[in-house]
Amino acid sequence: MAAGVYKRTGPVLLTGATGYIAGWVLRRLLEEGFTVHAAVRDPGNDEKCGPLEAMAKELPGTLRFFAADLLEEGSYAAAMAGCERVIHTASPFLMRFEDARRELVEPALEGTRNVLKEAMRTETVKRVVITSSCAAVYGDNADIREVPGKAFTEAEWNATSRLDHKPYSYSKTLAEKEAWKLAEGQDRWSLVALNPSLVLGPGIQPMTRSGSFELMRDLGNGTLSMGVPVYPFGAVDVREVAEAHLKASLDESVASGRYILSGHDTDLVELAGILRAEFGDRFALPRRVLPKWLVWLAGPFVDPSLTRAVISRNVGIRIAFDNRRSREILGIRYRPLKDSAVEMFRQMVSAGLVDPLH
Ligand code: NAP
């Protein structure tokens, strides 16, 4: 989208500015000429903050870093001071973890509490946008069987994830529920929850722990060279997700509520096929489709989070998302999945994050 679309207000707070999605949100805010209060864990981390600083130098807006941690109460006060708009993206999206409560649930839930309670104390705040997830809409693919229109909508809530079954989805569900509870306890600011499916596309810088990059690395570096099962999910480009954050935070006509962001109903086999068609035999990309029974037998030994319950309730079960609200209210136009996947993989190859076979 062209710059200069939004009326300029005071500074905008962006939490987790070093993140994958936040990088593009930051870029668009700076293109629009906003002053961005970027809350990050460590403003002195040159590897993560340096590329953002360099980007800001080329764009009309102003970037200011603030140190803040999701788990430290009151730590967003300085960054939020004077802001009308708060965009809360910070939360771990990890494919691999050891302690789900400590690494996923606590930062997601405590962080949301911390940021939104700060918004309650900060008189200037009018709108809060949180980066929730489709994971707060549904837990397992099998949940689709209970959905009246056979496509997940914003009316659904994940009721099937737990600490020991899809803990990331559980963390996002608890966090979004907490956000709605806090929003309802006040009337100065309105809340928008954005619910993206799997985000793909190049990063502003690819140095992130985001599960999006981890999955692409697994596809490209041989971890899944034995093959992949038909594991359906939704996918969306990071630039569309960023645009939705701008619209939701800066356009006052956007109603408070939830917005699913998902451009494509796809699966692991299709994603691997798109990459193979473009990158051929240069990488150890998966070639075979693994049958569900084989994944059921071997999956838990290969990846402990791939439990038999996860396999039975997800592999081979098609899902669909109704993205109407995002198109009609946020004005999102979804680009082809191939563009997102190919551009992202190419960036990872250039950055040395996936190794060619020879
Ligand atoms: P990411 O690149 O890993 O970004 C996560 C951000 O959270 C990083 O900036 C990280 O900071 C920050 N963070 C983590 N723990 C923190 C803590 N204790 N204190 C302060 N900051 C902390 O992941 P992403 O994919 O962009 O995800 C951003 C948001 O989008 C998350 O809320 C995620 O749940 C949501 N989401 C992602 C996807 C997806 O497919 N990527 C889909 C739906 C929703 P550091 O740089 O210091 O680690």
Side-chain angles (χ1 to χ4, degrees), residues 136-161:
V137 170
Y138 78 107
D140 292 308
N141 289 11
D143 296 353
I144 197 80
R145 295 176 183 143
E146 314 297 324
V147 171
K150 299 294 164 218
F152 292 116
T153 71
E154 289 83 356
E156 273 82 45
W157 276 95
N158 175 350
T160 50
S161 295

mmCIF file of all heavy atoms in Angstrom, residues 136-161:
data_model
loop_
_atom_site.group_PDB
_atom_site.id
_atom_site.type_symbol
_atom_site.label_atom_id
_atom_site.label_comp_id
_atom_site.label_asym_id
_atom_site.label_seq_id
_atom_site.Cartn_x
_atom_site.Cartn_y
_atom_site.Cartn_z
ATOM 1 N N ALA A 136 -6.226 -19.037 18.657
ATOM 2 C CA ALA A 136 -7.233 -18.712 19.680
ATOM 3 C C ALA A 136 -8.650 -18.947 19.150
ATOM 4 O O ALA A 136 -9.620 -18.846 19.886
ATOM 5 C CB ALA A 136 -7.067 -17.262 20.128
ATOM 6 N N VAL A 137 -8.745 -19.262 17.856
ATOM 7 C CA VAL A 137 -10.053 -19.515 17.226
ATOM 8 C C VAL A 137 -10.362 -21.020 17.235
ATOM 9 O O VAL A 137 -11.485 -21.431 17.466
ATOM 10 C CB VAL A 137 -10.051 -18.958 15.781
ATOM 11 C CG1 VAL A 137 -11.273 -19.405 14.999
ATOM 12 C CG2 VAL A 137 -9.935 -17.435 15.800
ATOM 13 N N TYR A 138 -9.332 -21.823 16.959
ATOM 14 C CA TYR A 138 -9.522 -23.282 16.972
ATOM 15 C C TYR A 138 -8.280 -23.940 17.572
ATOM 16 O O TYR A 138 -7.194 -23.363 17.532
ATOM 17 C CB TYR A 138 -9.787 -23.823 15.566
ATOM 18 C CG TYR A 138 -8.537 -23.945 14.718
ATOM 19 C CD1 TYR A 138 -7.991 -25.198 14.438
ATOM 20 C CD2 TYR A 138 -7.899 -22.825 14.218
ATOM 21 C CE1 TYR A 138 -6.843 -25.327 13.669
ATOM 22 C CE2 TYR A 138 -6.746 -22.943 13.460
ATOM 23 C CZ TYR A 138 -6.227 -24.192 13.194
ATOM 24 O OH TYR A 138 -5.082 -24.314 12.455
ATOM 25 N N GLY A 139 -8.480 -25.138 18.117
ATOM 26 C CA GLY A 139 -7.360 -25.859 18.712
ATOM 27 C C GLY A 139 -6.838 -26.930 17.768
ATOM 28 O O GLY A 139 -5.690 -26.920 17.353
ATOM 29 N N ASP A 140 -7.726 -27.837 17.387
ATOM 30 C CA ASP A 140 -7.363 -28.923 16.473
ATOM 31 C C ASP A 140 -8.176 -28.800 15.197
ATOM 32 O O ASP A 140 -9.297 -28.286 15.210
ATOM 33 C CB ASP A 140 -7.696 -30.274 17.114
ATOM 34 C CG ASP A 140 -6.797 -30.567 18.299
ATOM 35 O OD1 ASP A 140 -5.568 -30.479 18.146
ATOM 36 O OD2 ASP A 140 -7.341 -30.864 19.380
ATOM 37 N N ASN A 141 -7.632 -29.340 14.114
ATOM 38 C CA ASN A 141 -8.380 -29.331 12.849
ATOM 39 C C ASN A 141 -9.733 -30.019 13.000
ATOM 40 O O ASN A 141 -10.716 -29.615 12.381
ATOM 41 C CB ASN A 141 -7.562 -30.019 11.754
ATOM 42 C CG ASN A 141 -6.366 -29.177 11.339
ATOM 43 O OD1 ASN A 141 -6.029 -28.192 11.992
ATOM 44 N ND2 ASN A 141 -5.729 -29.545 10.230
ATOM 45 N N ALA A 142 -9.769 -31.037 13.869
ATOM 46 C CA ALA A 142 -11.027 -31.781 14.050
ATOM 47 C C ALA A 142 -12.138 -30.880 14.600
ATOM 48 O O ALA A 142 -13.322 -31.217 14.457
ATOM 49 C CB ALA A 142 -10.798 -32.966 14.981
ATOM 50 N N ASP A 143 -11.770 -29.734 15.193
ATOM 51 C CA ASP A 143 -12.795 -28.816 15.722
ATOM 52 C C ASP A 143 -13.724 -28.329 14.609
ATOM 53 O O ASP A 143 -14.848 -27.900 14.875
ATOM 54 C CB ASP A 143 -12.147 -27.596 16.393
ATOM 55 C CG ASP A 143 -11.317 -27.971 17.617
ATOM 56 O OD1 ASP A 143 -11.354 -29.150 18.011
ATOM 57 O OD2 ASP A 143 -10.618 -27.091 18.147
ATOM 58 N N ILE A 144 -13.244 -28.394 13.353
ATOM 59 C CA ILE A 144 -14.049 -27.903 12.220
ATOM 60 C C ILE A 144 -15.378 -28.669 12.127
ATOM 61 O O ILE A 144 -16.364 -28.130 11.626
ATOM 62 C CB ILE A 144 -13.256 -28.018 10.884
ATOM 63 C CG1 ILE A 144 -13.883 -27.158 9.781
ATOM 64 C CG2 ILE A 144 -13.126 -29.451 10.398
ATOM 65 C CD1 ILE A 144 -13.546 -25.726 9.849
ATOM 66 N N ARG A 145 -15.375 -29.896 12.634
ATOM 67 C CA ARG A 145 -16.596 -30.721 12.530
ATOM 68 C C ARG A 145 -17.748 -30.130 13.324
ATOM 69 O O ARG A 145 -18.897 -30.423 13.047
ATOM 70 C CB ARG A 145 -16.313 -32.142 13.031
ATOM 71 C CG ARG A 145 -15.299 -32.850 12.139
ATOM 72 C CD ARG A 145 -14.947 -34.213 12.704
ATOM 73 N NE ARG A 145 -13.925 -34.849 11.890
ATOM 74 C CZ ARG A 145 -12.942 -35.593 12.375
ATOM 75 N NH1 ARG A 145 -12.845 -35.821 13.660
ATOM 76 N NH2 ARG A 145 -12.052 -36.123 11.554
ATOM 77 N N GLU A 146 -17.413 -29.299 14.314
ATOM 78 C CA GLU A 146 -18.465 -28.705 15.153
ATOM 79 C C GLU A 146 -18.898 -27.333 14.641
ATOM 80 O O GLU A 146 -19.758 -26.692 15.215
ATOM 81 C CB GLU A 146 -17.960 -28.510 16.603
ATOM 82 C CG GLU A 146 -17.221 -29.690 17.200
ATOM 83 C CD GLU A 146 -18.099 -30.917 17.324
ATOM 84 O OE1 GLU A 146 -19.299 -30.739 17.621
ATOM 85 O OE2 GLU A 146 -17.596 -32.039 17.075
ATOM 86 N N VAL A 147 -18.240 -26.861 13.565
ATOM 87 C CA VAL A 147 -18.503 -25.479 13.109
ATOM 88 C C VAL A 147 -19.642 -25.473 12.094
ATOM 89 O O VAL A 147 -19.565 -26.190 11.086
ATOM 90 C CB VAL A 147 -17.206 -24.883 12.500
ATOM 91 C CG1 VAL A 147 -17.463 -23.552 11.827
ATOM 92 C CG2 VAL A 147 -16.165 -24.714 13.588
ATOM 93 N N PRO A 148 -20.679 -24.653 12.328
ATOM 94 C CA PRO A 148 -21.870 -24.705 11.487
ATOM 95 C C PRO A 148 -21.592 -24.514 9.989
ATOM 96 O O PRO A 148 -21.996 -25.330 9.174
ATOM 97 C CB PRO A 148 -22.739 -23.553 12.021
ATOM 98 C CG PRO A 148 -22.157 -23.184 13.349
ATOM 99 C CD PRO A 148 -20.768 -23.703 13.417
ATOM 100 N N GLY A 149 -20.829 -23.468 9.588
ATOM 101 C CA GLY A 149 -20.645 -23.180 8.158
ATOM 102 C C GLY A 149 -19.470 -23.906 7.537
ATOM 103 O O GLY A 149 -19.094 -23.654 6.399
ATOM 104 N N LYS A 150 -18.784 -24.796 8.280
ATOM 105 C CA LYS A 150 -17.618 -25.560 7.793
ATOM 106 C C LYS A 150 -16.416 -24.671 7.475
ATOM 107 O O LYS A 150 -15.508 -25.063 6.734
ATOM 108 C CB LYS A 150 -17.974 -26.440 6.582
ATOM 109 C CG LYS A 150 -19.044 -27.478 6.903
ATOM 110 C CD LYS A 150 -18.545 -28.510 7.914
ATOM 111 C CE LYS A 150 -19.675 -29.317 8.564
ATOM 112 N NZ LYS A 150 -19.463 -29.612 9.999
ATOM 113 N N ALA A 151 -16.426 -23.433 8.007
ATOM 114 C CA ALA A 151 -15.236 -22.582 7.940
ATOM 115 C C ALA A 151 -15.160 -21.843 9.274
ATOM 116 O O ALA A 151 -16.189 -21.380 9.781
ATOM 117 C CB ALA A 151 -15.335 -21.590 6.787
ATOM 118 N N PHE A 152 -13.959 -21.757 9.852
ATOM 119 C CA PHE A 152 -13.821 -21.047 11.126
ATOM 120 C C PHE A 152 -14.092 -19.564 10.929
ATOM 121 O O PHE A 152 -13.604 -18.946 9.970
ATOM 122 C CB PHE A 152 -12.406 -21.225 11.680
ATOM 123 C CG PHE A 152 -12.090 -22.626 12.116
ATOM 124 C CD1 PHE A 152 -11.099 -23.361 11.479
ATOM 125 C CD2 PHE A 152 -12.787 -23.223 13.171
ATOM 126 C CE1 PHE A 152 -10.792 -24.651 11.884
ATOM 127 C CE2 PHE A 152 -12.485 -24.524 13.584
ATOM 128 C CZ PHE A 152 -11.491 -25.237 12.933
ATOM 129 N N THR A 153 -14.862 -18.993 11.841
ATOM 130 C CA THR A 153 -15.118 -17.549 11.819
ATOM 131 C C THR A 153 -14.674 -16.965 13.160
ATOM 132 O O THR A 153 -14.313 -17.707 14.078
ATOM 133 C CB THR A 153 -16.620 -17.242 11.660
ATOM 134 O OG1 THR A 153 -17.278 -17.593 12.900
ATOM 135 C CG2 THR A 153 -17.258 -18.001 10.519
ATOM 136 N N GLU A 154 -14.814 -15.653 13.274
ATOM 137 C CA GLU A 154 -14.423 -14.961 14.503
ATOM 138 C C GLU A 154 -15.326 -15.347 15.676
ATOM 139 O O GLU A 154 -15.025 -15.018 16.824
ATOM 140 C CB GLU A 154 -14.459 -13.443 14.285
ATOM 141 C CG GLU A 154 -13.353 -12.903 13.392
ATOM 142 C CD GLU A 154 -13.634 -13.019 11.888
ATOM 143 O OE1 GLU A 154 -14.683 -13.596 11.520
ATOM 144 O OE2 GLU A 154 -12.796 -12.531 11.104
ATOM 145 N N ALA A 155 -16.426 -16.020 15.409
ATOM 146 C CA ALA A 155 -17.332 -16.414 16.506
ATOM 147 C C ALA A 155 -16.793 -17.611 17.281
ATOM 148 O O ALA A 155 -17.230 -17.870 18.400
ATOM 149 C CB ALA A 155 -18.708 -16.754 15.941
ATOM 150 N N GLU A 156 -15.822 -18.350 16.683
ATOM 151 C CA GLU A 156 -15.332 -19.555 17.355
ATOM 152 C C GLU A 156 -14.190 -19.220 18.329
ATOM 153 O O GLU A 156 -13.422 -18.289 18.096
ATOM 154 C CB GLU A 156 -14.787 -20.567 16.332
ATOM 155 C CG GLU A 156 -15.840 -21.480 15.778
ATOM 156 C CD GLU A 156 -16.638 -20.858 14.652
ATOM 157 O OE1 GLU A 156 -16.029 -20.238 13.762
ATOM 158 O OE2 GLU A 156 -17.881 -20.970 14.683
ATOM 159 N N TRP A 157 -14.116 -20.027 19.375
ATOM 160 C CA TRP A 157 -13.011 -19.944 20.333
ATOM 161 C C TRP A 157 -12.406 -21.319 20.510
ATOM 162 O O TRP A 157 -13.117 -22.317 20.538
ATOM 163 C CB TRP A 157 -13.520 -19.435 21.688
ATOM 164 C CG TRP A 157 -13.593 -17.942 21.760
ATOM 165 C CD1 TRP A 157 -14.688 -17.165 21.509
ATOM 166 C CD2 TRP A 157 -12.522 -17.051 22.096
ATOM 167 N NE1 TRP A 157 -14.366 -15.833 21.677
ATOM 168 C CE2 TRP A 157 -13.043 -15.736 22.040
ATOM 169 C CE3 TRP A 157 -11.182 -17.225 22.434
ATOM 170 C CZ2 TRP A 157 -12.279 -14.610 22.311
ATOM 171 C CZ3 TRP A 157 -10.411 -16.095 22.706
ATOM 172 C CH2 TRP A 157 -10.957 -14.808 22.643
ATOM 173 N N ASN A 158 -11.091 -21.333 20.627
ATOM 174 C CA ASN A 158 -10.378 -22.576 20.880
ATOM 175 C C ASN A 158 -10.780 -23.118 22.261
ATOM 176 O O ASN A 158 -10.528 -22.465 23.274
ATOM 177 C CB ASN A 158 -8.862 -22.290 20.830
ATOM 178 C CG ASN A 158 -8.019 -23.497 21.195
ATOM 179 O OD1 ASN A 158 -8.527 -24.511 21.657
ATOM 180 N ND2 ASN A 158 -6.722 -23.368 20.978
ATOM 181 N N ALA A 159 -11.383 -24.291 22.280
ATOM 182 C CA ALA A 159 -11.802 -24.889 23.547
ATOM 183 C C ALA A 159 -11.101 -26.221 23.779
ATOM 184 O O ALA A 159 -11.463 -26.947 24.704
ATOM 185 C CB ALA A 159 -13.323 -25.085 23.530
ATOM 186 N N THR A 160 -10.111 -26.557 22.928
ATOM 187 C CA THR A 160 -9.551 -27.909 23.019
ATOM 188 C C THR A 160 -8.049 -27.944 23.361
ATOM 189 O O THR A 160 -7.509 -29.019 23.584
ATOM 190 C CB THR A 160 -9.775 -28.670 21.688
ATOM 191 O OG1 THR A 160 -9.340 -27.858 20.595
ATOM 192 C CG2 THR A 160 -11.243 -29.017 21.494
ATOM 193 N N SER A 161 -7.383 -26.776 23.398
ATOM 194 C CA SER A 161 -5.941 -26.803 23.706
ATOM 195 C C SER A 161 -5.719 -26.740 25.212
ATOM 196 O O SER A 161 -6.511 -26.141 25.928
ATOM 197 C CB SER A 161 -5.237 -25.632 23.021
ATOM 198 O OG SER A 161 -5.322 -25.779 21.627
#
